[in-house]
Amino acid sequence: MIEKTYLKTKPQCKVKFALPAEKLNGAKKVALVGDFNGWDDKATPMRKQKTGVFASTLNLDVDADYQFRYLVDGEIWMNDESADGYAQSPVSHDANCVISV
């Protein structure tokens, strides 16, 4: 799930990324990895909420597209069904999610 809130005071969008517990099969950790953090799997860990949902919020510059994926337990890559689109990954046969803000 992705929620976008455009900021009135600066050209940025507050984007909340969330993965429901039922999609994670008891995962211990989830990282949000993408263009916005140099694809660094340690840069944006998602926090587990009381409901079991893993979530993270970022402020992203507007008028840009960002590719991203979720890395579950350091080994399983997942896409978000609510992404704005998909793009071919330059490093694998998989597709990356795309968010447009």
Side-chain angles (χ1 to χ4, degrees):
M1 177 183 80
I2 298 172
E3 294 176 8
K4 299 176 190 176
T5 305
Y6 288 88
L7 304 179
K8 295 178 183 175
T9 57
K10 50 186 158 179
Q12 290 190 323
C13 182
K14 185 178 192 175
V15 183
K16 179 180 180 182
F17 297 86
L19 276 176
E22 59 269 10
K23 295 210 179 245
L24 295 171
N25 298 323
K28 302 282 187 242
K29 64 180 182 171
V30 179
L32 175 60
V33 187
D35 292 335
F36 39 75
N37 62 14
W39 293 90
D40 180 351
D41 65 346
K42 309 239 183 315
T44 312
M46 297 178 77
R47 295 189 181 181
K48 188 173 184 179
Q49 320 246 316
K50 291 178 184 177
T51 60
V53 171
F54 278 83
S56 187
T57 302
L58 299 175
N59 285 353
L60 300 177
D61 292 333
V62 299
D63 297 325
D65 294 332
Y66 301 91
Q67 292 187 31
F68 73 96
R69 293 187 87 190
Y70 302 108
L71 182 59
V72 180
D73 289 334
E75 55 188 53
I76 301 167
W77 289 97
M78 291 182 65
N79 283 337
D80 194 314
E81 296 169 356
S82 60
D84 295 327
Y86 298 92
Q88 183 62 48
S89 170
V91 297
S92 73
H93 296 291
D94 297 319
N96 293 330
C97 297
V98 175
I99 185 166
S100 300
V101 291

